[in-house]
Amino acid sequence: MGFADTASTPAVAVVNQTFARLLFHSGDAIGRYFKNRAGLTIQIVGIVADGKYLSISEDPKPAAFLPILQSRVLEQR
């Protein structure tokens, strides 16, 4: 993911390990696809470790990270 990922290129995302396990029942998600709430198909190009987003004691939650130059377009599609 980088500045080459723009509104005119295919949609991509980096997901955390929990997201990959929930969707694919394994950590082997790179190169696979998922659909967002709007029905847009997004390719997984990387996996990151689970993190804490709200509280140090929270359970891991699925998360997907989108390129900033695609995020607005992905919300509208």
Side-chain angles (χ1 to χ4, degrees):
M1 260 184 358
F3 291 109
D5 297 310
T6 66
S8 61
T9 60
V12 295
V14 170
V15 301
N16 69 359
Q17 293 169 331
T18 296
F19 187 103
R21 277 193 301 272
L22 284 173
L23 251 56
F24 305 111
H25 307 291
S26 74
D28 187 22
I30 294 176
R32 299 183 78 176
Y33 296 85
F34 69 96
K35 290 190 177 190
N36 67 2
R37 290 183 178 139
L40 179 69
T41 301
I42 301 171
Q43 184 177 23
I44 298 171
V45 295
I47 299 176
V48 296
D50 291 332
K52 304 290 183 177
Y53 304 104
L54 298 175
S55 166
I56 192 92
S57 61
E58 72 182 349
D59 291 330
K61 294 181 176 37
F65 306 95
L66 310 172
I68 192 72
L69 297 176
Q70 288 185 350
S71 61
R72 192 169 281 245
V73 173
L74 294 177
E75 291 171 0
Q76 296 171 354
R77 290 185 186 173

